[in-house]
Amino acid sequence: MFELTQGWGIVVRGLMRGTAVGLVPAVLAMVVLTGCSSEPEPDGPAGGAKTAAKSGTESAAKGGTKKAAKGGAVGAAGSPCALPVSFDLAADWKPKAVKDDPEFGLPKQGLVTLVCEIDAKPAGNIGFLRVWTGGGSGDDARKALEAFVAAEAKSRDKVAYSATKAGRYAAAEVTYLNTNEFLDAPKKERALAFTTPRGVVVLHLGGLDSEEHEQMLPAYELAKKSVRSA
């Protein structure tokens, strides 16, 4: 609903990684001058591989689980988004409060309303961690999450709910494949819901495609584990 289509995203990703068409003549000239004896950089354009580590993440070990480096926090009074809770942000992720449209109001999904978007582009990814809030302190987090998913992805597959924790809060979490017909391919998404004294909070991680989603998971896990009272 809120993400770019995958086709356009490939073009955007290419530009972000410096693979513009205008660089081709310069690359060819370098090949002629240096010959074929040198090997391409493993993560360079010639190798066709994505950069293994991006800003805001660090690998615990080769092939191990990546861990997000903390870059700040959001949610408390004075931060870009005033929320019922606060949590840590991965390095270079930029939060921005969603403005109330005079004509249409704030975007709503199921039982909750979009209040904050945390942009991953400055950290090198295409996607957002979005914060939705609503309801009262007695609302059921699982029901709010089910209503959220039903409204977000009319076409979905491999939906799996589980009980978890968001900081000290009991929470419900869901993972699923968004199979919307307008997507080039199904993409992974996940969301987390928990109830606070100030209402239900939903954290949603989408992404341009499944690859981007996986690369942004460390930032999502950092936010999830660090949830605390604002």
Side-chain angles (χ1 to χ4, degrees), residues 36-224:
C36 301
S37 60
S38 62
E39 296 182 359
E41 290 293 327
D43 293 324
K50 279 195 165 187
T51 302
K54 297 194 174 190
S55 175
T57 63
E58 55 185 10
S59 180
K62 187 176 181 181
T65 302
K66 287 184 179 179
K67 196 173 182 180
K70 180 182 173 182
V74 68
S79 71
C81 301
L83 305 170
V85 294
S86 63
F87 53 85
D88 294 337
L89 299 176
D92 297 324
W93 284 57
K94 302 299 181 186
K96 183 179 180 181
V98 177
K99 293 183 179 180
D100 192 352
D101 185 278
E103 183 177 355
F104 301 103
L106 291 168
K108 296 184 182 297
Q109 194 162 297
L111 306 176
V112 291
T113 300
L114 180 63
V115 294
C116 185
E117 290 186 320
I118 305 165
D119 193 355
K121 285 194 292 295
N125 286 109
I126 305 173
F128 293 87
L129 176 62
R130 291 187 168 95
V131 187
W132 305 71
T133 62
S137 60
D139 287 352
D140 184 274
R142 171 64 181 262
K143 290 181 179 179
L145 191 59
E146 289 174 347
F148 179 86
V149 174
E152 195 274 337
K154 298 296 184 184
S155 302
R156 55 196 181 277
D157 193 16
K158 298 184 179 179
V159 181
Y161 288 91
S162 61
T164 186
K165 299 279 284 186
R168 64 179 179 84
Y169 296 95
E173 189 170 35
V174 63
T175 60
Y176 57 98
L177 281 179
N178 187 335
T179 58
N180 190 295
E181 61 181 334
F182 297 107
L183 299 173
D184 289 344
K187 64 171 184 162
K188 293 180 180 180
E189 301 197 32
R190 69 182 59 212
L192 175 79
F194 54 96
T195 301
T196 77
R198 296 167 59 189
V200 173
V201 176
V202 174
L203 301 182
H204 173 257
L205 181 71
L208 174 69
D209 54 30
S210 291
E211 186 176 9
E212 293 287 340
H213 179 87
E214 292 289 344
Q215 290 175 354
M216 294 188 295
L217 278 179
Y220 170 88
E221 291 295 336
L222 173 64
K224 172 183 172 181

